[in-house]
Amino acid sequence: MRPAERSRVVSGSARALTCGLLAFLSAVGVALTPGVAHASPPPDVVARVTDPDDALGDRAPEVEDALERLARDTDVRLYVVLVPTFDGMDGVDWANGSASASGLGVDDLLLAIATDEERHGLSADTSGVLGAADVERIRAAVSDPLREHDWPGAVLGAVDATRASVAGGPSTVTPRLVTGGALVLAAGAVALLATLLARRRTRRAGSSRAGRSESSDLPLADLERRADAALVAADDAVRARRATADELVAARHAIEQACALRLRLERLERLERLEQEPGRPTDPRDLLDQILGLCATAAAAVPAPQPLPRRDARTRGPALLDAVDVAAQDVLDRAGAARDTDATLGDTWPSDALAAVAENPLRAADLADTAQQDVDRARAEIAGKGPADIGRLLLAAQDAVTQAQVLLDAVADAGPDLAAARAGVERGVRALSTDAAHAARLDGGDPAVARAVAAAEATLADVAAASGTGPFDELTRLVDAEADLDAALSSRRDPPERSARANALLREVVAHVHRRLRAADAVVAAGPATGVAARTRLREASRLLDDVQEARSGDPATALLVARRADGLAAEGTRLAVQDVLTPPDVRQQADGSPVP
């Protein structure tokens, strides 16, 4: 029987707003739609195992047998879905969407694993035989094998933990947070994307007339600053509303195209010289006009949420303000715990590895304080003690709390992501050591092989010296050295071996880029302090990951090159974002000396 709603405990990497904030959002009429709207929703599962890419390999029969025995012995059915990526969605939300679409019952579990992202989500109804503590036990059993890329081991761990939980009886622990299984299905966004692109083509046909007439009088530097400010504003709008906008697919496409154009502009010669040569194939004014148009398209696709109407403020306002106040207080409580987490991480990891989250607890607490101040001002207005716009104050408080939650979630994710990167480093050291020794024996006087071996040995020495850069950068260096060594030996390997090695490295790199982007997203989400240079690189890295998914089945070697490019952009974008946020506003500058927009 299809349940009306699955009462789930949040597991995996998911965290959400507190119940108070959920009540607030519901009261103001916002549809709760966790995760990112996507054109391809989670699948409707039928078989016990859904594994289109054969991630389980030759252990698939072992997994199938374990699942069958679990169902026979306990009456609990565990369904498993393995996919390369959750496409930007939270793992639990993805799993919940699949469970809801499949009509799973109260004693059915669904474990979703994104192999490229090293993430998972568990959908479970805690009103059945399993309680919140049981779900956490199952989640923990999945996490360790996942970090080792042991997908069959992760499923078997979930089976064993489920069996042990059922044998121990239902848990009496109250779930930390219960949410509905609502998902935004972006089927309509595809049509919207086509419409918006058609409009853009229509506008672009006349851009040399209408667009140019508006901007032709502006000095080029002013036009560039206007385009950069528009890009920052549109990027913030898309990031802030990604969980509720059906039009996200169209907005994301427009922003990514704008960022690609902005990067292209960086690669051109100095703008002043190009302006003096109007006959050049690429006119910077055309690029800037296109960026402005794309930013307008993105902003229009995700309209700003509307504040509570004034006519409803005094009747509904008090309850809404109370809900936001509770949520803000929860942030303050979590910020204290996050400070302890940061301190613990600091005992294990170098400061460079923690730069993206080091200030998050303090910034989250400041945002919560701001939200409570807005609540107090709105309450004063309701009491007739001062002029204030209650609806806008509520909206501002909601935004502040949401930003704070993102910052604190990043602190909680930092430890597992760093541990996963460290596991990747250890795998990389073992693989590169073996391959470099093998290549040295095969050298045969080939200078390309000799150079690759020397570079690999130097990389291994640097990583062994623990230079303090942290596992993210160490893993990138190991992957680069391994890929260069493979390229030098490619003529000595047959096509199947070259393809297999490229696919193995590709899985490592894609998971690594996803970890980098998760860390960077929290930095950018904190507000407009992050400049254009960081945003363009992060967006381009995300776009390139989509290209990797399309290319990997037919040409893994090319897909690996694209993934390595995405890794470099994600690393540079994260560094620039942290630098922007930590730099005082009055001294922030772009590379050309102009202020960060």
Side-chain angles (χ1 to χ4, degrees):
M1 182 177 68
R2 179 188 293 270
E5 177 176 312
R6 291 175 68 80
S7 301
R8 306 166 31 260
V9 175
V10 174
S11 66
S13 63
R15 277 156 303 276
L17 299 178
T18 61
C19 294
L21 183 56
L22 292 170
F24 161 67
L25 292 171
S26 177
V28 297
V30 176
L32 293 177
T33 52
V36 179
H38 253 271
S40 299
D44 180 354
V45 300
V46 178
R48 197 90 60 177
V49 175
T50 302
D51 184 15
D53 292 339
D54 195 25
L56 296 176
D58 57 8
R59 296 182 66 187
E62 177 187 1
V63 170
E64 292 269 11
D65 181 62
L67 293 171
E68 180 63 33
R69 283 187 283 107
L70 176 70
R72 185 178 63 246
D73 297 344
T74 67
D75 292 328
V76 173
R77 292 176 297 180
L78 173 61
Y79 294 86
V80 179
V81 182
L82 298 103
V83 292
T85 172
F86 291 142
D87 287 335
M89 289 179 64
D90 173 81
V92 176
D93 296 330
W94 199 100
N96 259 3
S98 185
S100 297
S102 307
L104 300 191
V106 294
D107 291 335
D108 295 334
L109 308 178
L110 189 142
L111 173 64
I113 297 175
T115 54
D116 284 352
E117 299 172 350
E118 298 175 356
R119 292 196 298 141
H120 74 283
L122 181 66
S123 179
D125 192 329
T126 53
S127 66
V129 297
L130 299 176
D134 299 321
V135 173
E136 287 303 312
R137 178 191 298 178
I138 299 168
R139 182 203 65 77
V142 172
S143 296
D144 287 342
L146 210 65
R147 281 194 287 270
E148 294 295 329
H149 293 184
D150 181 5
W151 320 127
V155 178
L156 295 175
V159 169
D160 291 344
T162 302
R163 185 184 297 276
S165 295
V166 173
S171 169
T172 59
V173 178
T174 303
R176 286 181 294 155
L177 180 66
V178 176
T179 67
L183 286 172
V184 176
L185 301 181
V190 177
L192 174 65
L193 174 59
T195 302
L196 291 173
L197 292 176
R199 291 176 184 170
R200 192 168 76 230
R201 283 193 295 269
T202 302
R203 280 199 304 272
R204 191 172 292 172
S207 64
S208 61
R209 299 186 297 275
R212 266 305 174 83
S213 63
E214 180 181 342
S215 63
S216 57
D217 294 335
L218 282 177
L220 191 58
D222 289 347
L223 180 60
E224 183 179 359
R225 279 191 286 271
R226 175 184 291 187
D228 285 351
L231 196 152
V232 169
D235 189 45
D236 277 341
V238 173
R239 289 176 183 275
R241 291 149 207 158
R242 59 185 175 183
T244 58
D246 291 343
E247 305 87 351
L248 175 69
V249 174
R252 181 186 171 194
H253 178 88
I255 280 291
E256 287 177 349
Q257 292 302 309
C259 288
L261 289 174
R262 189 64 182 81
L263 282 172
R264 182 181 175 191
L265 194 58
E266 282 188 28
R267 290 192 292 265
L268 295 174
E269 297 176 88
R270 292 178 59 85
L271 295 181
E272 293 82 0
R273 179 180 174 187
L274 287 176
E275 191 173 29
Q276 293 167 7
E277 300 180 26
R280 291 292 295 270
T282 303
D283 188 332
R285 287 185 178 274
D286 283 340
L287 292 179
L288 292 168
D289 284 337
Q290 290 178 47
I291 290 170
L292 284 166
L294 288 164
C295 290
T297 297
V302 284
Q306 296 303 306
L308 186 69
R310 288 180 180 272
R311 65 178 179 274
D312 297 331
R314 294 188 181 276
T315 56
R316 299 171 60 193
L320 301 177
L321 292 168
D322 289 346
V324 179
D325 204 7
V326 169
Q329 185 58 52
D330 178 73
V331 166
L332 291 172
D333 294 342
R334 283 189 63 194
R339 281 192 291 271
D340 295 338
T341 300
D342 262 354
T344 301
L345 292 172
D347 294 337
T348 305
W349 306 103
S351 58
D352 284 354
L354 301 172
V357 298
E359 300 296 322
N360 285 17
L362 179 61
R363 290 159 61 199
D366 288 343
L367 286 164
D369 286 338
T370 299
Q372 290 185 329
Q373 291 170 17
D374 287 337
V375 167
D376 290 341
R377 289 174 60 198
R379 284 171 172 162
E381 165 62 13
I382 291 175
K385 297 178 181 178
D389 188 332
I390 297 170
R392 293 195 180 280
L393 288 170
L394 278 169
L395 203 56
Q398 174 199 348
D399 287 344
V401 170
T402 300
Q403 289 181 24
Q405 288 278 351
V406 171
L407 292 171
L408 296 179
D409 288 351
V411 175
D413 285 338
D417 279 349
L418 286 165
R422 172 56 63 199
V425 168
E426 293 169 355
R427 288 192 299 271
V429 166
R430 290 194 297 269
L432 187 59
S433 299
T434 300
D435 292 342
H438 178 67
R441 291 193 295 271
L442 296 177
D443 184 349
D446 187 333
V449 174
R451 285 193 299 270
V453 169
E457 290 173 345
T459 298
L460 288 167
D462 288 345
V463 172
S467 59
T469 58
F472 278 25
D473 292 337
E474 290 173 3
L475 182 53
T476 293
R477 293 195 61 189
L478 288 165
V479 167
D480 288 346
E482 187 74 65
D484 291 343
L485 191 59
D486 284 347
L489 293 171
S490 62
S491 62
R492 308 186 185 201
R493 292 170 174 158
D494 58 24
E497 183 181 4
R498 291 199 299 268
S499 179
R501 295 183 70 87
N503 270 316
L505 272 180
L506 183 60
R507 286 191 294 271
E508 192 77 74
V509 176
V510 169
H512 189 44
V513 177
H514 280 297
R515 288 191 292 266
R516 285 196 188 275
L517 291 178
R518 275 200 298 274
D521 279 348
V523 181
V524 180
T530 305
V532 165
R535 292 170 188 267
T536 53
R537 284 155 178 78
L538 295 171
R539 284 288 183 186
E540 181 69 358
S542 179
R543 186 189 69 79
L544 289 176
L545 283 183
D546 293 338
D547 292 346
V548 168
Q549 296 302 326
E550 295 177 6
R552 67 188 309 166
S553 59
D555 189 354
T558 298
L560 177 59
L561 289 174
V562 176
R564 291 172 64 190
R565 168 68 175 157
D567 184 32
L569 286 167
E572 187 180 8
T574 302
R575 179 183 61 78
L576 290 171
V578 173
Q579 176 181 299
D580 287 342
V581 170
L582 297 182
T583 302
D586 56 337
V587 297
R588 287 187 198 131
Q589 292 184 337
Q590 297 278 53
D592 64 355
S594 61
V596 171

